[in-house]
Amino acid sequence: MDTKGRILEAALELYNMQGIRTITTRHIAAHLNMSPGNLHYHFKHTDDIIRALYERLAVAFDLELVQLQQSVTVDMDAILDLSARSFQLVYQYRFIFLHFVEIVWRIPGIGKDYQALTKRRTREFTRIFERLIENGTFRTDLPPSIWPALVKQLFIVADFWLSNNELTGRLHEKKARAAYQKTFYMMFLPFLAAPEKISRAAV
Amino acid sequence: MDTKGRILEAALELYNMQGIRTITTRHIAAHLNMSPGNLHYHFKHTDDIIRALYERLAVAFDLELVQLQQSVTVDMDAILDLSARSFQLVYQYRFIFLHFVEIVWRIPGIGKDYQALTKRRTREFTRIFERLIENGTFRTDLPPSIWPALVKQLFIVADFWLSNNELTGRLHEKKARAAYQKTFYMMFLPFLAAPEKISRAAV
DNA sequence: AAAAAATTAGTACATTTGTTCTAAAATAAT
DNA sequence: ATTATTTTAGAACAAATGTACTAATTTTTT
């Protein structure tokens, strides 16, 4: 019924499969047995479709962030949970992450939005790390500048893990999720005050 | 004189500035005051240009790898040096890294090559880590599976740091290099057996 | 039921792009 | 010097693409 929604769903599916370069509005319309004219009645410009999809991702991300703020306990299990949910989002909207630079160059507004989102995410992670230090979960013998650096590392890996997978492994959903999670697990290990306590569980 | 070389240089410059999506063979030809026909006499297909540029990058990377194999001492200074040279390469051919997935999807041969290169790089880094462990530079209390994980992290950050910078900071060459190097420095810190000895120097 | 508004299909157009073709000009070989 | 080869310019073509236009059809409102 909701034609706009159906267009977005079809676009997401096709973009995820083939990328934004090969998929045109004609392809999306054909996939829905819809005329190109009709599609462009709902989305005047192709970029409007990409923009709308990005906004859906941003909303989902923010929801995740709010949930995180409300969580009471923060330990390594919570972090692993978080990385699983992060994968879910990144995978669902993978065309964005696989073509992020191109998309941002093409639609600068998305870049602005992403920067704002990154700032919010950074604040949240900084808070989490503070708690993990107070907690005794994290080491205290490293210089404090290590924490913003870790945040940056985490973001780069989170945003581009899938791209790397596309270049090397090409693991599919299930295996990819496990590998993604393991990567994050391993990123936190060296920061734990007592790594040997946990290391057996998930390695 | 070497027309092929001039085409590649112009293509590299334009691709780096505007990406492979907006730059066409016509743009490259115009930039050289050359007819499109002439350009296509030297490179029958557009993809041949991208392919040739990738090959230049791959050769440079391999050279770096050979140099690394021959280096006698391996310490943190050597690692920092390496990251500086890595930045040099990544920055010089940045259009490849900024559009890596698209390029690999478009020209599958590049994907195969990159995978082979990654294997060689992995072997080399594994060896370096072994030496750093024997050395006493690296910690020994972490599970051994941490080292391949670290290699993967390093590769993701190396390959996509620039993409992340494009999405967030947009630092230019000089500042970008410093930030890139700092990122890698910070990635190694938590693995050092005695981080406090070095931490003052470069933080 | 009639009128108004919305959605849809299908066509058309201008632009762009990769590539080919032809012929001219420059260069090298004999 | 003449012939052969390589290089170049410029035009031309076909396919693709984003999007606008028009008319028909469906849906909603009154």
Side-chain angles (χ1 to χ4, degrees):
Chain A
M1 291 294 118
D2 176 8
T3 315
K4 254 183 156 130
R6 279 172 58 230
I7 293 172
L8 289 180
E9 267 176 43
L12 179 60
E13 189 189 332
L14 294 176
Y15 284 153
N16 277 343
M17 281 197 306
Q18 313 230 38
I20 54 171
R21 187 162 197 275
T22 43
I23 295 300
T24 70
T25 50
R26 278 180 169 81
H27 291 124
I28 298 166
H31 190 256
L32 291 164
N33 293 319
M34 174 188 288
S35 67
N38 190 14
L39 186 144
H40 276 283
Y41 167 77
H42 290 284
F43 291 96
K44 204 165 191 198
H45 304 283
T46 308
D47 286 357
D48 296 341
I49 297 174
I50 296 171
R51 175 91 227 200
L53 286 171
Y54 172 80
E55 259 143 35
R56 285 189 170 198
L57 167 67
V59 167
F61 244 114
D62 259 339
L63 244 148
E64 208 59 62
L65 218 53
V66 170
Q67 262 188 291
L68 193 61
Q69 280 168 356
Q70 293 170 345
S71 65
V72 199
T73 57
V74 177
D75 55 8
M76 279 299 285
D77 282 344
I79 296 278
L80 276 178
D81 261 25
L82 177 66
S83 76
R85 285 199 304 276
S86 161
F87 179 83
Q88 165 67 12
L89 277 183
V90 172
Y91 188 79
Q92 191 180 353
Y93 291 92
R94 56 192 175 280
F95 86 93
I96 293 177
F97 295 93
L98 296 176
H99 310 279
F100 221 152
V101 172
E102 191 187 335
I103 289 174
V104 164
W105 282 9
R106 202 163 127 182
I107 310 166
I110 290 184
K112 302 266 177 202
D113 276 18
Y114 177 80
Q115 281 177 32
L117 177 62
T118 299
K119 274 187 190 162
R120 269 172 285 152
R121 282 207 292 170
T122 303
R123 264 197 301 276
E124 201 47 44
F125 272 83
T126 305
R127 266 230 311 254
I128 289 178
F129 290 173
E130 281 165 7
R131 284 211 254 169
L132 286 166
I133 292 170
E134 289 169 20
N135 234 342
T137 312
F138 269 2
R139 293 163 65 179
T140 53
D141 62 324
L142 293 168
S145 57
I146 199 87
W147 306 115
L150 176 57
V151 172
K152 192 175 190 86
Q153 291 164 34
L154 288 170
F155 287 177
I156 293 178
V157 174
D159 289 352
F160 296 105
W161 189 96
L162 269 189
S163 290
N164 173 267
N165 181 55
E166 209 55 42
L167 301 184
T168 56
R170 291 193 143 276
L171 305 176
H172 289 319
E173 186 166 6
K174 226 179 136 81
K175 285 194 174 181
R177 172 184 289 112
Y180 183 93
Q181 264 193 286
K182 186 173 177 184
T183 302
F184 282 98
Y185 183 83
M186 288 298 189
M187 286 185 82
F188 280 103
L189 254 200
F191 293 95
L192 296 184
E196 66 285 346
K197 276 192 189 167
I198 315 197
S199 62
R200 295 204 167 279
V203 182
Chain B
M1 290 295 116
D2 176 8
T3 314
K4 253 180 157 133
R6 280 171 57 231
I7 292 173
L8 289 180
E9 268 176 43
L12 180 60
E13 189 189 330
L14 294 177
Y15 284 153
N16 277 343
M17 281 197 306
Q18 313 231 37
I20 54 171
R21 188 161 197 275
T22 43
I23 295 300
T24 69
T25 49
R26 279 180 169 80
H27 291 124
I28 299 166
H31 191 255
L32 291 164
N33 293 319
M34 173 188 288
S35 66
N38 190 14
L39 186 144
H40 276 281
Y41 168 77
H42 290 284
F43 292 96
K44 204 163 192 199
H45 304 282
T46 308
D47 287 357
D48 296 341
I49 297 174
I50 296 171
R51 175 91 226 200
L53 286 172
Y54 171 80
E55 259 143 36
R56 286 188 169 197
L57 168 67
V59 167
F61 245 113
D62 259 339
L63 245 148
E64 208 59 62
L65 218 54
V66 170
Q67 261 189 291
L68 193 61
Q69 280 167 356
Q70 293 170 344
S71 64
V72 198
T73 57
V74 177
D75 55 8
M76 278 300 283
D77 282 345
I79 296 279
L80 276 178
D81 261 25
L82 178 66
S83 76
R85 285 199 303 276
S86 161
F87 179 84
Q88 166 66 13
L89 277 183
V90 172
Y91 189 79
Q92 192 180 351
Y93 292 91
R94 57 192 174 280
F95 86 94
I96 292 177
F97 296 92
L98 295 177
H99 310 278
F100 220 152
V101 172
E102 192 187 334
I103 289 174
V104 164
W105 282 10
R106 204 165 125 180
I107 310 165
I110 291 184
K112 302 266 176 202
D113 276 18
Y114 177 80
Q115 281 176 31
L117 177 61
T118 298
K119 273 187 190 160
R120 270 172 284 150
R121 282 208 291 170
T122 302
R123 262 197 301 276
E124 201 47 43
F125 272 83
T126 305
R127 267 232 308 257
I128 290 178
F129 290 172
E130 280 165 7
R131 283 210 255 169
L132 286 166
I133 291 169
E134 290 169 19
N135 234 341
T137 311
F138 270 2
R139 295 163 63 179
T140 51
D141 62 325
L142 293 167
S145 58
I146 199 84
W147 307 115
L150 176 58
V151 171
K152 192 175 190 89
Q153 292 164 35
L154 288 170
F155 288 177
I156 293 178
V157 174
D159 288 351
F160 295 105
W161 190 95
L162 269 188
S163 290
N164 174 267
N165 181 56
E166 209 56 40
L167 302 184
T168 56
R170 290 192 144 277
L171 305 176
H172 288 318
E173 186 167 6
K174 227 179 135 82
K175 286 194 172 180
R177 174 186 288 112
Y180 182 94
Q181 263 194 285
K182 185 173 178 184
T183 301
F184 282 98
Y185 183 84
M186 288 298 189
M187 287 185 81
F188 280 103
L189 253 199
F191 293 95
L192 296 184
E196 66 286 346
K197 278 192 189 167
I198 314 196
S199 62
R200 295 203 168 280
V203 183

